[in-house]
Amino acid sequence: MMKPSTIKSLGLGVGLVGLGVVFALSVSSSMVLSLATQASIFAIFALGVGVLLRQNGMVSFGHAAFYGVAGYAVALLVGKGFSAEAALLISVLGMAVFAALLGLSIVRVPGIAFGMLTLAIGQMFFQLASTSRGLTGGADGMYVDWPATLFGFSVNSLLKQDNLFILCWTLLVILATLVSLIVASRFGHITAAIRDNEERARFIGIKTLLPRVAIFTLSATITSIAGLLSVFHTGFISPESLHWSVSGSALMMVIVGGYRNTWGPAIGAMVFFLTRDLVGDYAQHWLAIFGVALIVVIVFSPEGISGLVQRLRRSSRTIKSGV
């Protein structure tokens, strides 16, 4: 029998998928739907960064490596004659295996050194993609020639703005629900205990390395799925997808939305894209405005927007119970 918290998470997920379908069917503007699709893709990216920060307490400046390499992997495999379905599955599994092997080494590195190491790894892949012109197209990037069908569905139909948004939004909800269930599980409590005090966790008999590697692998795999969705959306991949600034943008989304809440990073991504679209029309340096908003959030609500909302809800309940 499922726990009430599990039923609640699954119910919320179903409701959010339905909300996304209603939104896609009620919005006629292709520009709005395209913006929402991009926001959903980056929300998945931010979700991957956020789960690493929440469960391992680690800040990564190089997660764009998983985002971009997954895109290059599927582009190269399709170009070599692999079926698109096989290319997508191999790319996801390949990134998971790569992340697990990499995690065995780098999760041992503490604090800021971990962040600098991930930054170096990410920039290494950026340089490789930029200079390997014969393989990756160099700075010009690569186009992906998608087949007529994908997993039995027409690619032209999937690439329609409303259908593509529903696809990306549904995957976001599924992954966020999966993360929430993992966080609430015994494994999630173990990784949280390791994050809070690794030495004490070892003292009570918890093996700390593999749980940290598992979270790192989960984080990288989620980010790689965002990379595959981005390539499917645009049909193009370039070294810019591997640049540290992409990782930095995702990290800003996590901080603004709040990493302590599962949906916090996704909220931060939505705010980021709304700011870029709305403010960018009137201000050339819209990113500076977002940076000011980031500072305000850090100073006045370190838990991010999601934390602020939860705090306001608790205050409202307290006032009502007092009345």
Coordinates of all heavy atoms in Angstrom, one line a residue, residues 118-165:
T118 N 34.5 20.8 -11.3 CA 33.5 20.6 -12.3 C 33.6 21.7 -13.4 O 33.3 21.5 -14.6 CB 32.1 20.7 -11.7 OG1 31.9 21.9 -10.9 CG2 31.9 19.5 -10.7
L119 N 34.0 22.9 -13.0 CA 34.2 24.0 -13.9 C 35.3 23.6 -15.0 O 35.1 23.8 -16.2 CB 34.6 25.3 -13.2 CG 34.9 26.5 -14.1 CD1 33.7 26.9 -15.0 CD2 35.4 27.7 -13.2
A120 N 36.4 23.1 -14.5 CA 37.5 22.7 -15.3 C 37.0 21.6 -16.3 O 37.4 21.6 -17.5 CB 38.7 22.2 -14.5
I121 N 36.3 20.6 -15.8 CA 35.8 19.5 -16.7 C 34.9 20.0 -17.7 O 35.0 19.7 -18.9 CB 35.1 18.4 -15.8 CG1 36.2 17.7 -14.9 CG2 34.5 17.4 -16.7 CD1 35.6 16.8 -13.9
G122 N 34.0 20.9 -17.3 CA 33.0 21.5 -18.3 C 33.7 22.3 -19.4 O 33.4 22.1 -20.6
Q123 N 34.7 23.1 -19.0 CA 35.5 23.9 -20.0 C 36.3 23.0 -20.9 O 36.6 23.4 -22.0 CB 36.3 25.0 -19.3 CG 35.4 26.1 -18.7 CD 34.6 26.8 -19.8 OE1 33.4 26.5 -19.9 NE2 35.2 27.6 -20.6
M124 N 36.8 21.9 -20.3 CA 37.6 21.0 -21.2 C 36.7 20.4 -22.3 O 37.2 20.4 -23.5 CB 38.1 19.8 -20.3 CG 38.8 18.7 -21.1 SD 39.2 17.3 -20.1 CE 37.6 16.6 -20.0
F125 N 35.5 20.1 -22.0 CA 34.6 19.6 -23.1 C 34.2 20.7 -24.0 O 34.1 20.5 -25.2 CB 33.3 19.0 -22.5 CG 33.5 17.6 -22.0 CD1 33.5 17.3 -20.6 CD2 33.6 16.5 -22.9 CE1 33.7 16.0 -20.2 CE2 33.8 15.2 -22.4 CZ 33.9 15.0 -21.0
F126 N 34.1 21.9 -23.5 CA 33.8 23.1 -24.4 C 35.0 23.3 -25.4 O 34.7 23.5 -26.6 CB 33.6 24.3 -23.5 CG 33.6 25.6 -24.3 CD1 32.4 26.0 -25.0 CD2 34.7 26.5 -24.3 CE1 32.4 27.2 -25.7 CE2 34.6 27.7 -25.1 CZ 33.5 28.0 -25.8
Q127 N 36.2 23.2 -24.9 CA 37.3 23.4 -25.8 C 37.4 22.2 -26.8 O 37.7 22.5 -28.0 CB 38.6 23.4 -25.0 CG 38.8 24.7 -24.2 CD 38.9 26.0 -25.0 OE1 39.4 25.9 -26.2 NE2 38.4 27.1 -24.5
L128 N 37.2 21.0 -26.4 CA 37.2 19.9 -27.3 C 36.2 20.0 -28.4 O 36.5 19.8 -29.6 CB 36.9 18.6 -26.5 CG 38.1 18.0 -25.7 CD1 37.6 16.9 -24.8 CD2 39.3 17.6 -26.6
A129 N 35.0 20.5 -28.0 CA 33.9 20.6 -29.0 C 34.2 21.8 -30.0 O 33.9 21.7 -31.2 CB 32.6 20.9 -28.4
S130 N 34.9 22.8 -29.5 CA 35.2 24.0 -30.3 C 36.3 23.7 -31.3 O 36.4 24.3 -32.4 CB 35.6 25.2 -29.4 OG 34.5 25.5 -28.5
T131 N 37.3 22.9 -30.9 CA 38.5 22.7 -31.7 C 38.4 21.4 -32.6 O 39.1 21.3 -33.6 CB 39.7 22.6 -30.8 OG1 39.5 21.5 -29.8 CG2 40.0 23.9 -30.1
S132 N 37.5 20.5 -32.3 CA 37.4 19.2 -33.0 C 36.4 19.4 -34.2 O 35.3 18.9 -34.3 CB 36.9 18.1 -32.1 OG 37.7 17.9 -31.0
R133 N 36.9 20.2 -35.2 CA 36.0 20.6 -36.3 C 35.6 19.4 -37.1 O 34.4 19.4 -37.6 CB 36.7 21.7 -37.1 CG 35.8 22.3 -38.2 CD 36.4 23.5 -38.9 NE 35.5 24.1 -39.8 CZ 34.6 25.0 -39.5 NH1 34.5 25.4 -38.3 NH2 33.8 25.4 -40.4
G134 N 36.5 18.5 -37.3 CA 36.1 17.3 -38.1 C 35.1 16.4 -37.5 O 34.3 15.8 -38.2
L135 N 34.9 16.5 -36.2 CA 34.0 15.6 -35.5 C 32.7 16.3 -35.1 O 31.6 15.8 -35.3 CB 34.7 15.0 -34.3 CG 33.8 14.0 -33.4 CD1 33.5 12.8 -34.2 CD2 34.5 13.7 -32.1
T136 N 32.9 17.5 -34.5 CA 31.7 18.2 -34.0 C 31.3 19.5 -34.8 O 30.3 20.1 -34.5 CB 32.1 18.7 -32.6 OG1 33.1 19.7 -32.6 CG2 32.5 17.5 -31.7
G137 N 32.1 19.8 -35.8 CA 31.8 21.0 -36.6 C 32.4 22.2 -36.0 O 32.1 23.3 -36.5
G138 N 33.1 22.1 -34.9 CA 33.8 23.2 -34.3 C 32.8 24.3 -33.8 O 31.7 23.9 -33.4
A139 N 33.1 25.5 -34.0 CA 32.3 26.6 -33.5 C 31.0 26.7 -34.3 O 30.0 27.3 -33.9 CB 33.1 28.0 -33.6
D140 N 31.0 26.1 -35.5 CA 29.8 26.2 -36.4 C 28.7 25.2 -35.8 O 27.5 25.4 -36.2 CB 30.1 25.8 -37.8 CG 31.0 26.8 -38.5 OD1 30.9 28.0 -38.0 OD2 31.8 26.5 -39.3
G141 N 29.0 24.3 -35.0 CA 28.1 23.3 -34.5 C 27.6 22.3 -35.4 O 28.2 22.1 -36.5
M142 N 26.6 21.5 -35.1 CA 26.1 20.4 -35.9 C 24.5 20.5 -35.9 O 23.9 20.8 -34.9 CB 26.5 19.1 -35.2 CG 27.9 18.8 -35.2 SD 28.2 17.2 -34.3 CE 27.4 16.1 -35.5
Y143 N 24.0 20.1 -37.1 CA 22.6 19.9 -37.2 C 22.2 18.5 -37.1 O 23.0 17.6 -37.5 CB 22.1 20.5 -38.6 CG 22.1 22.0 -38.7 CD1 23.2 22.7 -39.2 CD2 21.0 22.7 -38.2 CE1 23.2 24.1 -39.2 CE2 21.0 24.1 -38.3 CZ 22.1 24.8 -38.8 OH 22.1 26.1 -38.8
V144 N 21.0 18.2 -36.6 CA 20.6 16.8 -36.5 C 19.4 16.6 -37.5 O 18.5 17.3 -37.5 CB 20.1 16.5 -35.0 CG1 19.7 15.1 -34.9 CG2 21.1 16.9 -34.0
D145 N 19.6 15.6 -38.3 CA 18.6 15.2 -39.3 C 17.7 14.2 -38.7 O 17.9 13.0 -38.8 CB 19.3 14.7 -40.6 CG 18.3 14.5 -41.7 OD1 17.2 15.0 -41.6 OD2 18.6 13.8 -42.7
W146 N 16.6 14.6 -38.0 CA 15.7 13.7 -37.4 C 14.9 12.9 -38.4 O 14.5 13.5 -39.5 CB 14.7 14.4 -36.5 CG 15.4 15.1 -35.3 CD1 15.7 16.4 -35.1 CD2 15.9 14.4 -34.1 NE1 16.3 16.6 -33.9 CE2 16.5 15.4 -33.3 CE3 16.0 13.1 -33.7 CZ2 17.1 15.1 -32.1 CZ3 16.6 12.8 -32.5 CH2 17.1 13.8 -31.7
P147 N 14.6 11.7 -38.2 CA 13.8 10.9 -39.1 C 12.3 11.3 -39.1 O 11.9 12.2 -38.4 CB 13.9 9.4 -38.6 CG 14.2 9.6 -37.1 CD 15.0 10.9 -37.0
A148 N 11.5 10.7 -39.9 CA 10.1 11.0 -40.1 C 9.3 10.7 -38.8 O 8.3 11.3 -38.5 CB 9.5 10.4 -41.3
T149 N 9.7 9.6 -38.2 CA 9.0 9.1 -37.0 C 10.0 8.9 -35.8 O 11.2 8.6 -36.0 CB 8.2 7.8 -37.2 OG1 9.2 6.8 -37.6 CG2 7.2 8.0 -38.3
L150 N 9.4 9.0 -34.6 CA 10.2 8.8 -33.4 C 9.4 8.1 -32.3 O 8.3 8.7 -31.9 CB 10.7 10.2 -32.8 CG 11.7 10.1 -31.7 CD1 13.0 9.4 -32.1 CD2 12.0 11.5 -31.2
F151 N 9.8 6.9 -32.0 CA 9.0 6.1 -31.0 C 7.6 5.9 -31.5 O 6.6 5.9 -30.7 CB 9.0 6.6 -29.6 CG 10.4 6.6 -29.0 CD1 11.1 7.8 -28.8 CD2 10.9 5.4 -28.6 CE1 12.4 7.7 -28.2 CE2 12.2 5.4 -28.0 CZ 12.9 6.5 -27.8
G152 N 7.4 5.8 -32.9 CA 6.1 5.6 -33.4 C 5.2 6.9 -33.7 O 4.1 6.8 -34.2
F153 N 5.8 8.0 -33.3 CA 5.1 9.3 -33.5 C 5.7 10.1 -34.6 O 6.9 10.0 -34.8 CB 5.1 10.1 -32.2 CG 4.4 9.5 -31.0 CD1 5.1 8.8 -30.1 CD2 3.0 9.6 -30.9 CE1 4.4 8.2 -29.0 CE2 2.4 9.0 -29.8 CZ 3.1 8.3 -28.9
S154 N 4.9 10.8 -35.3 CA 5.4 11.7 -36.4 C 6.3 12.8 -35.8 O 5.8 13.5 -34.9 CB 4.3 12.3 -37.2 OG 4.7 13.3 -38.0
V155 N 7.5 13.0 -36.3 CA 8.4 14.0 -35.8 C 7.8 15.4 -36.0 O 7.8 16.3 -35.2 CB 9.8 13.9 -36.4 CG1 10.6 15.2 -36.1 CG2 10.5 12.7 -35.8
N156 N 7.2 15.6 -37.2 CA 6.6 16.9 -37.6 C 5.5 17.2 -36.6 O 5.3 18.4 -36.2 CB 6.0 16.9 -39.0 CG 7.1 16.9 -40.0 OD1 8.2 17.4 -39.8 ND2 6.8 16.4 -41.2
S157 N 4.7 16.2 -36.2 CA 3.6 16.4 -35.2 C 4.2 16.8 -33.8 O 3.7 17.7 -33.1 CB 2.7 15.2 -35.1 OG 1.8 15.4 -34.1
L158 N 5.3 16.0 -33.4 CA 5.9 16.3 -32.1 C 6.5 17.7 -32.0 O 6.6 18.3 -31.0 CB 7.0 15.2 -31.8 CG 6.5 13.8 -31.5 CD1 7.7 12.9 -31.4 CD2 5.7 13.8 -30.2
L159 N 7.0 18.2 -33.2 CA 7.7 19.5 -33.2 C 6.7 20.7 -33.3 O 7.2 21.8 -33.2 CB 8.7 19.5 -34.4 CG 9.9 18.7 -34.2 CD1 10.8 18.7 -35.4 CD2 10.8 19.2 -33.0
K160 N 5.4 20.4 -33.4 CA 4.5 21.5 -33.3 C 4.5 22.1 -31.9 O 4.7 21.4 -30.9 CB 3.0 21.0 -33.6 CG 2.8 20.6 -35.0 CD 1.4 20.1 -35.2 CE 1.1 19.8 -36.7 NZ -0.3 19.3 -36.9
Q161 N 4.4 23.4 -31.8 CA 4.7 24.1 -30.5 C 3.9 23.6 -29.4 O 4.4 23.4 -28.3 CB 4.5 25.6 -30.7 CG 5.6 26.3 -31.5 CD 7.0 26.1 -30.9 OE1 7.2 25.9 -29.8 NE2 8.0 26.3 -31.8
D162 N 2.6 23.3 -29.6 CA 1.8 22.8 -28.5 C 2.1 21.4 -28.0 O 2.3 21.1 -26.8 CB 0.3 22.9 -28.8 CG 0.0 22.2 -30.2 OD1 0.9 21.8 -30.9 OD2 -1.2 22.1 -30.5
N163 N 2.4 20.5 -29.0 CA 2.8 19.2 -28.7 C 4.2 19.1 -28.0 O 4.4 18.3 -27.1 CB 2.8 18.3 -29.9 CG 1.4 18.1 -30.4 OD1 0.4 18.2 -29.7 ND2 1.2 17.8 -31.7
L164 N 5.1 19.9 -28.5 CA 6.4 19.9 -28.0 C 6.4 20.4 -26.5 O 7.1 19.9 -25.7 CB 7.4 20.8 -28.8 CG 8.8 20.7 -28.5 CD1 9.4 19.3 -28.5 CD2 9.7 21.6 -29.4
F165 N 5.6 21.5 -26.3 CA 5.5 21.9 -24.9 C 4.9 20.9 -24.0 O 5.4 20.7 -22.9 CB 4.6 23.2 -24.8 CG 4.3 23.6 -23.4 CD1 5.2 24.1 -22.5 CD2 3.0 23.3 -22.9 CE1 4.9 24.4 -21.2 CE2 2.7 23.6 -21.6 CZ 3.6 24.1 -20.8

